[in-house]
């Protein structure tokens, strides 16, 4: 299964023609999208990244920056810098335009077919973990909304809220690419209006004065880690949403459209969190934000939290189904997504009815930056070295293809990954692990720089072999 995509490719190709339509189950999976079925434009990416990032998570992130000791303006600067990283994420989608396949297929060029598998497995775990977290947040918001409407008490409202949240997410992701893009666009219209009103209520009361004590290195580094972790989590998926675009789609149009979408939504909500944190206790971010809003807006606010959770879960759940095909599941994308949905439902049940599960899950996810920052560094560096030109057939050919390297493993990419992981582990300050260099660095968490280390090592080792196709 590691070396041959023939089964899922045939399963996806059968009946695939003309099936990338709204409210029709998408026929394609990780098999390359033929030129005759390519459609859409770069502007579609604006709505995808704008809508999927209209999530309350960024409000929480902005509040955390203030909790780490930053002032309003300092925290806002970090929010903006974090939002700018979406331009790199969007640019990485050019690989999907060139190859017509998913990001975690393309990364075989950097790591080898077998070397790509462990990170693929971890990415599936991470995507499901974040989907669970978003599902729990959405469920609690819907439960609170039901209580506002007079229905509370007992486990039934929570159970129904969970079922509704899962159904909304699963239905859209099951239909596939066209429906995902359609849903993100139309949900974005409603959510943008609602979150704009939230800013109007929260921003005027912000305390813009400098804090009594200047933030130390630890405060700055933790704020950057929080802000960049969200965009970085998307590195394994941008090509999933560009693989249907025509080959003539330009890098400039791609980068600007998707980058602006992610920037605007993440920065607007991040600043809302910063402003709220200067006025009230944001330990419970939903409750803290609610205190700053008029009573009549409370139900709408809870609906915004729910909607944002669903929009973000849709793209992570959809990508997880492609991820499973990369791991060798010989099913169509639509069948594979059932596995992700079942695991998400089970995890969400645990998080909602076992009180310590969510904290444990978030702690675990925070530790995985040690793997995914370096992985992203290698992948992006490899993409630049190859000028985003790949042998598309070889990506799916297994041991018969050019990306099999030495027994399925690419020494240069894996060495670079290991170097970045070692650096990240030594400088990571997460809930489950504190690296030995954190204290000497004044408490600074530099784990995200593992991406820079791995990228530099990969360029050094692979600059002669990672050439554009055809060489």
């Amino acid at each position: 299964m590691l070396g041959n995509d023939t089964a899922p490719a045939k399963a996806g190709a059968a009946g695939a023609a003309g099936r990338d339509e709204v409210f029709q189950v998408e026929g394609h999976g990780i098999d390359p999208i033929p030129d005759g079925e390519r459609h859409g434009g770069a502007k579609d990416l604006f709505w995808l990244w704008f809508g999927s990032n209209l999530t309350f998570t960024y409000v929480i992130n902005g509040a955390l920056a203030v909790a780490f000791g930053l002032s309003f303006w300092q925290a806002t600067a970090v929010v903006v810098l974090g939002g700018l990283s979406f331009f790199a994420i969007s640019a990485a989608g050019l690989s999907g335009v060139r190859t017509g396949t998913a990001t975690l297929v393309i990364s075989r060029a950097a790591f080898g077919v077998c070397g790509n598998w462990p990170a693929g497995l971890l990415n599936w775990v991470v995507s499901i973990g974040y989907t669970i977290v978003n599902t729990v947040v959405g469920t609690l918001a819907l439960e609170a909304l039901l209580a506002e409407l007079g229905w509370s008490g007992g486990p039934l409202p929570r159970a129904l809220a969970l079922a509704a949240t899962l159904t909304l997410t699963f239905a859209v992701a099951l239909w596939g690419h066209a429906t995902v893009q359609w849903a993100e666009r139309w949900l974005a219209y409603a959510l943008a209006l609602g979150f704009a009103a939230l800013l109007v209520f929260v921003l005027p009361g912000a305390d813009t004065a400098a804090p009594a004590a200047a933030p130390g290195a630890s405060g700055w580094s933790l704020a950057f880690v929080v802000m960049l972790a969200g965009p970085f989590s998307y590195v394994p998926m941008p090509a999933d949403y560009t693989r249907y675009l025509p080959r003539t789609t330009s890098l400039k149009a791609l980068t600007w459209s998707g980058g602006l979408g992610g920037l605007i939504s993440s920065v607007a909500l991040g600043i809302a969190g910063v402003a709220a944190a200067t006025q009230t206790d944001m330990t419970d971010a939903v409750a803290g934000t609610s205190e700053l809003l008029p009573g009549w807006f409370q139900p709408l606010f809870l609906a915004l939290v729910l909607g944002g959770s669903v929009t973000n879960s849709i793209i992570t759940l959809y990508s997880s189904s492609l991820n499973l095909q990369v791991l060798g599941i010989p099913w169509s994308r639509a069948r594979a997504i059932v596995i992700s949905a079942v695991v998400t439902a089970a995890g969400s049940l645990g998080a909602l009815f076992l009180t310590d599960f969510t904290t444990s899950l978030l702690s675990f996810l925070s530790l995985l930056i040690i793997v995914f920052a370096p992985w992203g560094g290698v992948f992006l560096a490899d993409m630049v070295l190859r000028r985003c030109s790949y042998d598309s057939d070889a990506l799916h050919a297994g041991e018969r293809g050019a990306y099999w390297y030495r027994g399925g493993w690419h020494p240069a990419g894996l060495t670079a990954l290991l170097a970045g992981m070692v650096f990240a582990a030594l400088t990571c300050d997460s809930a489950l692990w504190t690296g030995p260099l954190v204290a000497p660095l004044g408490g600074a968490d530099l784990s995200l720089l593992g991406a820079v280390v791995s990228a530099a090592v990969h360029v050094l080792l692979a600059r002669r072999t990672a050439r554009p196709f055809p060489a």
Side-chain angles (χ1 to χ4, degrees):
M1 287 300 175
L2 291 178
N4 195 330
D5 291 338
T6 302
K10 287 181 178 178
R19 297 308 296 271
D20 188 41
E21 299 177 9
V22 178
F23 303 132
Q24 291 192 32
V25 176
E26 177 190 3
H28 283 296
I30 62 172
D31 52 299
I33 308 300
D35 287 345
E37 296 179 35
R38 304 285 192 100
H39 61 88
K43 64 181 183 300
D44 296 329
L45 294 179
F46 175 87
W47 295 108
L48 177 81
W49 293 114
F50 179 70
S52 62
N53 287 286
L54 285 171
T55 173
F56 194 72
T57 301
Y58 289 105
V59 176
I60 298 173
N61 291 348
L64 284 173
V66 175
F68 295 145
L70 274 63
S71 70
F72 175 87
W73 293 112
Q74 290 168 337
T76 296
V78 173
V79 167
V80 172
L81 290 173
L84 289 172
S85 63
F86 276 102
F87 286 98
I89 302 301
S90 189
L94 182 64
S95 59
V97 173
R98 295 280 178 82
T99 63
T101 192
T103 303
L104 283 168
V105 174
I106 300 165
S107 60
R108 291 169 175 171
F111 300 101
V113 176
C114 296
N116 188 58
W117 199 90
L121 178 61
L122 278 176
N123 181 71
W124 182 78
V125 172
V126 170
S127 64
I128 293 301
Y130 280 119
T131 305
I132 290 171
V133 171
N134 277 319
T135 299
V136 169
V137 171
T139 298
L140 294 176
L142 182 53
E143 182 186 25
L145 181 58
L146 292 174
E148 289 270 347
L149 299 174
W151 187 16
S152 61
L156 184 57
R158 176 170 293 188
L160 289 176
L162 173 60
T165 304
L166 285 171
T167 300
L168 285 171
T169 304
F170 176 69
V172 174
L174 174 66
W175 273 315
H177 176 266
T179 310
V180 167
Q181 291 200 319
W182 179 89
E184 294 292 351
R185 176 190 289 265
W186 286 99
L187 286 170
Y189 294 154
L191 291 174
L193 289 173
F195 279 118
L198 176 70
L199 271 172
V200 170
F201 292 128
V202 172
L203 199 55
D207 181 1
T208 58
S218 175
W220 281 104
S221 66
L222 288 172
F224 273 111
V225 167
V226 166
M227 294 303 169
L228 290 170
F232 243 94
S233 70
Y234 293 123
V235 173
M237 62 177 73
D240 301 1
Y241 303 100
T242 59
R243 70 195 205 282
Y244 277 93
L245 293 178
R247 292 182 188 272
T248 54
T249 305
S250 72
L251 174 61
K252 180 179 179 180
L254 201 80
T255 302
W256 276 100
S257 294
L260 280 175
L263 172 73
I264 293 171
S265 52
S266 65
V267 168
L269 297 189
I271 291 175
V274 171
T278 65
Q279 302 172 66
T280 187
D281 180 11
M282 291 287 282
T283 305
D284 181 337
V286 174
T289 306
S290 295
E291 292 179 3
L292 304 175
L293 304 173
W296 63 266
F297 193 72
Q298 300 290 334
L300 292 175
F301 169 64
L302 294 172
L304 289 175
V305 176
L306 169 63
S309 298
V310 169
T311 59
N312 197 259
S313 292
I314 285 171
I315 67 167
T316 54
L317 189 61
Y318 174 78
S319 286
S320 76
S321 63
L322 299 174
N323 198 157
L324 286 172
Q325 287 191 314
V326 174
L327 294 176
I329 300 294
W331 294 353
S332 68
R333 182 206 60 82
R335 290 180 63 193
I337 202 171
V338 175
I339 298 175
S340 296
V342 169
V343 176
T344 298
S348 300
L349 283 169
L352 288 164
F353 295 100
L354 300 175
T355 55
D356 63 342
F357 183 87
T358 303
T359 301
S360 300
L361 178 61
L362 286 170
S363 298
F364 171 68
L365 293 174
S366 71
L367 188 62
L368 289 182
I369 194 71
I370 292 174
V371 176
F372 281 99
W375 185 93
V378 175
F379 174 73
L380 294 173
D382 192 77
M383 189 180 74
V384 172
L385 285 173
R386 298 178 191 276
R387 298 178 187 174
C388 217
S389 295
Y390 301 88
D391 183 343
S392 297
D393 292 335
L395 289 171
H396 299 271
E399 57 187 289
R400 303 186 310 276
Y403 303 126
W404 186 250
Y405 302 111
R406 297 182 184 177
W409 306 80
H410 188 201
L414 294 171
T415 300
L417 175 64
L418 181 60
M421 288 175 60
V422 169
F423 179 88
L426 291 174
T427 60
C428 178
D429 185 15
S430 75
L432 296 180
W433 167 260
T434 300
L437 295 184
V438 171
L441 290 168
D445 182 338
L446 302 181
S447 56
L448 280 173
L449 291 181
V452 178
V453 172
S454 63
V457 173
H458 187 66
V459 169
L460 181 66
L461 297 179
R463 65 185 186 279
R464 293 182 180 177
T465 58
R467 296 175 179 175
F469 176 81

